[in-house]
Amino acid sequence: MTRPSRDGALARPRALTLSAVPLAALLAVVGLAPLPYSVARPGQTTNVLGKDGSAEVISISGAPVRGTSGQLRMVAIMATAPRAEIRLGDVIDGWFRTDRAVMPKDSVFPAGMSDTKIAEHNLAEMKSSQDAATAAALRYLKKDPDRVKVTLKLSDVGGPSAGLLFSLGIIDKLDGDGSGGDLTGGRKIAGTGTIAADGTVGAVGGVALKTQAAERDGASAFLVPKAECSTAQATAGGLRLIPVTTLKGAVEALRALAKGGSVPSC
């Protein structure tokens, strides 16, 4: 059997030791360098049937407005700012927590925009969503948009994901459950979903975080776009998940819930 020379025996561990130096340096650099991610967590919930500061979230003129006793809570998530420096430790921590979500920054914020432009973009999306929510609700109720005027006000929240809740809030204020009662049945209902003028409900991001915010703030049921049922189930806790695809379906589900009838579930 041929034995290695003394020099040969020492060469391999020395080479391994030297190669570990740049690897350790690389890991140190990665750990300190900002990464192109955003970390999100459960955010605020707001009752669209209530007030935003001193003003009503939903103000209506041109038609009788009824009093409401329940709550319809839209839910937001909070993400780290576009220019925030996210490092490896933040990413690893987010991966191992159910109340955090690590997402590519470009999937949360439009690329190539300043913080100011991003804020303007999000507010524009919210305004478009509010217009669609108003159109969908008045169309559902068969009310003339030239006679009935709706003003929606919600500060510090951007994006289109409150559309469904805005539409439901308008319907509850104008028509309730259609039989003299509240559409909510007096309950605290939360939910999320975009809305189109024809009443189609669309999927949104961050559902797993939104269910946690809804349960934290005392909601008993959560309206979720049907395509995101499985995502919502993972963090729903004690929430009753109600899948929806249209505004009409959401109204019918809430009416059934208020009367103790059969309600769709995820």
Side-chain angles (χ1 to χ4, degrees):
M1 179 176 180
T2 304
R3 297 174 62 84
S5 68
R6 181 175 178 79
D7 289 344
L10 292 174
R12 182 173 175 77
R14 186 167 182 268
L16 289 174
T17 302
L18 291 174
S19 67
V21 174
L23 177 60
L26 177 62
L27 289 174
V29 170
V30 171
L32 294 174
L35 298 173
Y37 293 102
S38 182
V39 180
R41 60 187 174 87
Q44 73 185 63
T45 72
T46 304
N47 177 25
V48 301
L49 296 174
K51 292 185 176 182
D52 179 40
S54 60
E56 295 287 334
V57 175
I58 301 174
S59 300
I60 302 173
S61 61
V65 176
R66 57 184 302 279
T68 58
S69 62
Q71 295 186 14
L72 286 168
R73 302 196 76 86
M74 61 76 58
V75 187
I77 62 171
M78 293 187 65
T80 49
R83 299 294 181 268
E85 294 188 350
I86 304 301
R87 304 188 184 278
L88 183 60
D90 303 312
V91 173
I92 292 173
D93 178 62
W95 279 338
F96 287 96
R97 294 180 58 167
T98 58
D99 63 343
R100 296 289 187 273
V102 179
M103 299 172 284
K105 193 170 289 186
D106 288 349
S107 72
V108 182
F109 304 108
M113 289 187 182
S114 66
D115 290 4
T116 300
K117 289 296 183 182
I118 288 172
E120 291 174 354
H121 170 81
N122 287 339
L123 289 175
E125 280 199 322
M126 171 64 91
K127 179 62 169 61
S128 177
S129 172
Q130 291 174 344
D131 292 344
T134 299
L138 296 182
R139 179 176 179 176
Y140 174 82
L141 294 172
K142 297 180 173 57
K143 291 192 177 293
D144 186 349
D146 293 326
R147 299 176 66 102
V148 180
K149 300 299 181 184
V150 179
T151 302
L152 301 173
K153 173 180 169 55
L154 190 58
S155 302
D156 302 323
V157 177
S161 65
L164 171 62
L165 272 293
F166 280 137
S167 287
L168 292 172
I170 294 167
I171 291 170
D172 201 9
K173 284 201 163 193
L174 288 174
D175 194 52
D177 64 359
S179 302
D182 290 318
L183 184 59
T184 61
R187 293 176 172 83
K188 188 181 290 187
I189 308 293
T192 191
T194 64
I195 195 79
D198 67 358
T200 301
V201 174
V204 296
V207 167
L209 299 177
K210 291 179 179 180
T211 55
Q212 294 177 63
E215 186 173 38
R216 177 200 66 204
D217 290 355
S220 59
F222 189 89
L223 297 166
V224 58
K226 188 174 182 178
E228 297 181 291
C229 265
S230 59
T231 303
Q233 285 174 322
T235 53
L239 281 176
R240 182 171 189 168
L241 296 178
I242 302 175
V244 294
T245 58
T246 65
L247 177 59
K248 179 181 178 182
V251 171
E252 290 174 349
L254 290 181
R255 284 175 176 169
L257 182 65
K259 295 176 180 178
S262 177
V263 180
S265 63
C266 287

